[in-house]
Amino acid sequence: MFFELHSGGERAVLVQIAVDGGANEPDLDEFIELVRSAGGDPAAVVRGSRRSPTARYFVGEGKLEEIASEVERVEAELVVFNHALSPSQERNLEAYLKCRVIARTGLILDIFAQRARTHEGKLQVELAQLKHISTRLIRGWTHLERQKGGIGLRGPGETQLETDRRLLRARVSAIESRLDKVRQQRAQNRRARQRAEVPLVSLVGYTNAGKSTLFNTWSDSGVYAADQLFATLDPTLARVEIEGLGGVIIADTVGFIADLPHTLVQAFRATLEETLNSSLLLHVIDVAADDREFLKTEVESVLDEIGAGDIPQLLVFNKIDLLEREPRITRDSEGRPDSVSVSAKTGAGLDLLRDAIGERLAGNFFRGCVELTPAQGKLRAALYEMGAVKSEDWLEAGGSELDIYLPESDWTRLKQQHGF
């Protein structure tokens, strides 16, 4: 059950106010792209500045009249604020402007509602919408109230507003219960991967950085990818082979954005849990973006917020084809890869990315040559069963020398089991 905030193609007036003298002004280009991603038609933009928002309309009376004039001029059906509005501010603005008014949070929720494809994603979107709507219920349907008194209206009962709130609470509880089951299933899958010692590598980054394109190019998957904000909402996993490392699980995750509403962070906790259990994060950055350092900082801020700030990162500078740059790897002071420049669209540099991932994850694996006697046949069989043997040379004494590569924890366990 979705609450469609508006259908595509509506003419909209966009409002952006620089608060504190412009120190906290949001990105206007991103705001326009958000409206377009929701299917809206940005017909006019109203900008201004205030030391602090007003309690009644967020903007002052002069700016309110300017917005009303633009709404009438372009015949707008919608006014979108690139700010968080209180429920009372939204109602007051709608009453004055005679059209619908939504804030940044409502806009992002609408995009999410359009893009969710899996059952889990749809549940998460609905949960976020219900929590948002629950704060905006107003006293309506007065003709149905049973507590008002008067002839034909006396007697026990609840107001329509109370009924709406009760139904919302029941629906939220039901969705949270179903999402708990999804999280339990995810936890089981993660435990299975951990038992098998299969590393998980998550693609993270600002929305529209090219994560899904990289995922598709790398894994031959058919994940929806487009040059628009929030093209991906649902986590997708694929297994890829890394030279010298074996199988690795790659996870494509939802993109981050500045001022991501907390209701969405909470609602998509199950999606972000994949990130929390990663062995390595591939932080994909649009190298062609003018504000890439700001976007990088915003992503790191969200990662810290969800508890993933301490997970090792490898920076992936994507879209080098737009700048006509060559693929390359840079290394830190210890010689480890810390960034790779690639083009997910053309595939340039993906071989370097595989090598860099292999190097970064190799610390959790053991590689070396071991000599086994004929009496250690069970250990030899166990190594072959795990696919850990890269090559084997037979020795004159009857034993063999094996070149093995396997998780350090598995090698420690096998040595203990077989007394090696």
Side-chain angles (χ1 to χ4, degrees):
M1 180 177 67
F2 283 134
F3 298 88
E4 296 295 345
L5 299 183
H6 62 84
S7 57
E10 288 182 279
R11 296 176 67 78
V13 171
L14 282 54
V15 180
Q16 175 159 300
I17 305 298
V19 182
D20 282 343
N24 299 312
E25 185 172 15
D27 185 346
L28 180 60
D29 291 336
E30 180 182 86
F31 180 35
I32 293 173
E33 187 59 34
L34 277 172
V35 174
R36 287 177 176 154
S37 295
D41 176 18
V45 177
V46 176
R47 303 182 69 177
S49 62
R50 284 192 66 85
R51 183 176 300 276
S52 61
T54 67
R56 185 170 178 81
Y57 294 113
F58 189 89
V59 296
E61 292 185 5
K63 189 60 62 177
L64 186 62
E65 291 177 2
E66 182 182 346
I67 297 170
S69 176
E70 287 297 297
V71 168
E72 183 177 358
R73 182 181 68 83
V74 301
E75 299 180 350
E77 305 162 89
L78 182 71
V79 174
V80 188
F81 277 70
N82 195 17
H83 307 276
L85 298 177
S86 69
S88 62
Q89 286 172 335
E90 284 189 13
R91 292 195 296 270
N92 294 335
L93 285 165
E94 286 185 346
Y96 187 94
L97 299 173
K98 302 298 190 295
C99 69
R100 285 177 300 111
V101 175
I102 63 172
R104 180 185 176 88
T105 300
L107 179 64
I108 295 176
L109 280 170
D110 187 67
I111 297 173
F112 276 36
Q114 295 179 45
R115 304 282 165 77
R117 286 172 171 78
T118 67
H119 175 65
E120 177 194 1
K122 292 176 181 178
L123 285 176
Q124 290 167 337
V125 170
E126 186 182 348
L127 179 61
Q129 287 181 321
L130 287 171
K131 289 184 175 181
H132 181 68
I133 290 172
S134 66
T135 64
R136 282 156 170 76
L137 288 178
I138 61 175
R139 187 174 299 279
W141 302 79
T142 55
H143 61 291
L144 295 179
E145 290 181 2
R146 297 295 303 277
Q147 296 178 343
K148 186 176 181 180
I151 297 174
L153 293 175
R154 298 184 180 90
E158 61 183 358
T159 65
Q160 184 64 35
L161 181 62
E162 291 169 337
T163 302
D164 291 343
R165 285 175 174 162
R166 176 171 52 80
L167 293 175
L168 275 177
R169 286 195 298 269
R171 181 61 180 164
V172 166
S173 177
I175 293 176
E176 288 179 336
S177 176
R178 292 164 72 179
L179 282 174
D180 280 340
K181 294 181 180 178
V182 173
R183 294 184 187 113
Q184 292 171 12
Q185 181 62 47
R186 282 188 179 279
Q188 290 177 358
N189 293 339
R190 281 194 294 271
R191 285 193 292 270
R193 288 199 302 268
Q194 290 166 356
R195 283 195 298 270
E197 292 291 347
V198 180
L200 173 64
V201 178
S202 291
L203 296 167
V204 300
Y206 210 77
T207 181
N208 204 30
K211 298 181 296 298
S212 294
T213 302
L214 176 60
F215 183 85
N216 287 337
T217 304
W218 201 357
S219 62
D220 295 325
S221 300
V223 172
Y224 177 69
D227 185 19
Q228 57 186 199
L229 303 183
F230 297 120
T232 301
L233 291 183
D234 306 306
T236 308
L237 305 180
R239 184 184 178 95
V240 299
E241 295 295 321
I242 301 294
E243 180 69 26
L245 192 65
V248 171
I249 300 296
I250 303 294
D252 186 24
T253 62
V254 62
F256 301 131
I257 193 170
D259 301 322
L260 184 69
H262 285 276
T263 53
L264 288 179
V265 173
Q266 295 168 4
F268 281 79
R269 189 181 70 184
T271 299
L272 298 175
E273 278 177 358
E274 290 295 345
T275 301
L276 296 176
N277 290 273
S278 302
S279 304
L280 179 68
L281 300 180
L282 299 185
H283 184 167
V284 183
I285 300 170
D286 181 356
V287 73
D290 295 333
D291 55 347
R292 57 182 176 272
E293 284 301 321
F294 168 77
L295 304 183
K296 175 175 176 290
T297 303
E298 286 294 320
V299 172
E300 290 173 346
S301 175
V302 176
L303 289 173
D304 287 336
E305 185 178 346
I306 66 173
D310 295 331
I311 299 176
Q313 284 189 35
L314 176 64
L315 301 182
V316 181
F317 294 111
N318 188 29
K319 304 185 182 181
I320 60 172
D321 53 299
L322 298 179
L323 302 179
E324 298 183 354
R325 293 183 182 176
E326 293 298 319
R328 70 189 186 103
I329 293 181
T330 64
R331 299 178 181 274
D332 60 18
S333 58
E334 299 178 1
R336 298 179 307 173
D338 61 3
S339 76
V340 186
S341 298
V342 305
S343 170
K345 185 176 180 180
T346 66
L350 293 192
D351 53 338
L352 299 179
L353 181 57
R354 289 189 182 92
D355 294 341
I357 292 173
E359 284 190 54
R360 291 295 298 268
L361 294 178
N364 301 323
F365 287 75
F366 171 81
R367 179 156 197 171
C369 292
V370 297
E371 291 187 13
L372 299 182
T373 65
Q376 293 171 313
K378 289 185 177 180
L379 175 56
R380 176 178 176 273
L383 288 168
Y384 267 101
E385 184 178 353
M386 295 176 63
V389 180
K390 300 302 178 182
S391 64
E392 182 177 19
D393 294 322
W394 292 98
L395 304 176
E396 293 183 1
S400 61
E401 183 180 73
L402 283 71
D403 179 16
I404 61 174
Y405 186 78
L406 73 167
E408 188 76 49
S409 57
D410 282 355
W411 178 229
T412 301
R413 176 175 52 80
L414 287 175
K415 288 192 294 184
Q416 293 173 346
Q417 288 179 350
H418 297 277
F420 182 74

